[in-house]
Amino acid sequence: MTDTADSTGTEGTTDWQAWQDSWDRQQEWYMPDREERFRVMLDMVEALVGPAPRVLDLACGTGSITDRVLKRFPEATSTGVDLDPALLTIAEGHFAGDERVTFVTADLKDPDWRAALPHGTYDAILTATALHWLPSKELAVLYGQLAPLLAPGGVFMNADHMPDPATPRIDAAEHAHRHAGMDRARAAGAVDWREWWDLAGADPALTEQVKQRFEIYGEHADGDTPSEAWHAETLRAAGFAEARTVWRSPSDALVLGLK
């Protein structure tokens, strides 16, 4: 096992940067083009709302999007919202002392989740590889809740697995090719999702939070992976003036909704 987080700092404190980096490596095992989708996401933020946005990092996890937002846009601010106590602990540790960042615990299935946010409106709402755990019906409700959170001209972007039901043979070939590459990386020591959580649970700084996390979510999400066309249509129905795909890989897409 070579891709582990060295979680102990020089003074015996938890090295949250190491956990942040470890999470990124684990995610990149599944998505080798992860940074490319982030780059396009930030390009569109800058194009539509400028270089100093107020960002809502939706289902933020460890704050991977927030990290990239602040590195590219030092004058930006970010609110991260999630329910996962373990990933939020890593995020809060990683960004400790940065006044540009706020994290809140909220369940996106709760009709009143927006009440936990520190601001009434945002310039950009960003999320990646997270909302697939919501069934389509609940995701459509969430999309309706997001439009009022955006300032006029604000932007929402969701990057996630969005297969095309019209191309099953293409999808099957891409899936087989991608997983063959994942198998090679796994044989070379890459840590998969389940093993990463085992490592996190073994760290005393995260043991209780990991236990709580699995009590909340269980082992697997129960959500759907609708097509990019569904996302764009649902965003328009939810009150967005425009919506379309702005980035596409063989398996994933980044859909943008403009207020």
Side-chain angles (χ1 to χ4, degrees):
M1 189 185 308
T2 60
D3 193 2
T4 60
D6 180 4
S7 63
T8 304
T10 56
E11 298 178 359
T13 58
T14 300
D15 185 348
W16 298 116
Q17 178 71 61
W19 277 117
Q20 175 75 260
D21 293 344
S22 177
W23 175 260
D24 281 343
R25 289 194 299 272
Q26 177 258 127
Q27 291 287 288
E28 288 162 2
W29 178 67
Y30 292 96
M31 299 168 288
D33 52 18
R34 186 169 178 252
E35 292 301 325
E36 176 67 10
R37 71 190 70 192
F38 286 151
R39 182 191 66 77
V40 175
M41 180 181 283
L42 298 187
D43 282 350
M44 298 310 298
V45 167
E46 186 171 20
L48 290 166
V49 299
R54 176 188 288 172
V55 171
L56 177 60
D57 187 351
L58 194 69
C60 64
T62 64
S64 295
I65 290 176
T66 291
D67 187 58
R68 286 150 182 81
V69 165
L70 298 181
K71 285 176 178 175
R72 177 155 168 180
F73 308 127
E75 296 182 11
T77 60
S78 180
T79 302
V81 58
D82 208 305
L83 186 62
D84 189 313
L87 298 184
L88 279 174
T89 296
I90 294 171
E92 290 167 348
H94 177 65
F95 292 98
D98 192 333
E99 296 181 353
R100 298 171 297 175
V101 186
T102 304
F103 290 103
V104 297
T105 300
D107 184 350
L108 298 181
K109 293 182 179 181
D110 182 344
D112 297 323
W113 70 269
R114 291 171 293 179
L117 301 176
H119 305 292
T121 60
Y122 291 84
D123 301 309
I125 302 175
L126 310 175
T127 189
T129 326
L131 298 187
H132 56 261
W133 58 270
L134 283 172
S136 298
K137 184 176 180 179
E138 294 183 7
L139 183 55
V141 171
L142 177 65
Y143 279 177
Q145 296 169 335
L146 297 181
L149 280 175
L150 284 169
V155 61
F156 165 72
M157 280 180 273
N158 179 15
D160 214 334
H161 186 51
M162 299 181 189
D164 187 339
T167 59
R169 289 191 298 159
I170 295 173
D171 292 348
E174 183 281 328
H175 182 273
H177 181 268
R178 176 163 43 89
H179 278 261
M182 291 168 63
D183 289 344
R184 291 191 295 271
R186 188 78 178 86
V191 170
D192 66 12
W193 186 89
R194 178 68 258 186
E195 190 171 17
W196 188 91
W197 281 107
D198 289 342
L199 292 167
D203 187 328
L206 290 168
T207 300
E208 185 57 33
Q209 292 91 331
V210 170
K211 179 182 177 182
Q212 293 170 3
R213 186 255 177 230
F214 281 96
E215 289 172 354
I216 294 169
Y217 292 107
E219 287 287 340
H220 300 287
D222 296 324
D224 304 325
T225 53
S227 69
E228 61 196 275
W230 180 93
H231 286 274
E233 180 181 350
T234 304
L235 287 169
R236 287 190 290 268
F240 287 84
E242 300 178 15
R244 72 169 177 87
T245 301
V246 293
W247 174 87
R248 172 87 232 187
S249 77
S251 62
D252 292 13
L254 171 61
V255 173
L256 181 153
L258 184 65
K259 178 74 175 285

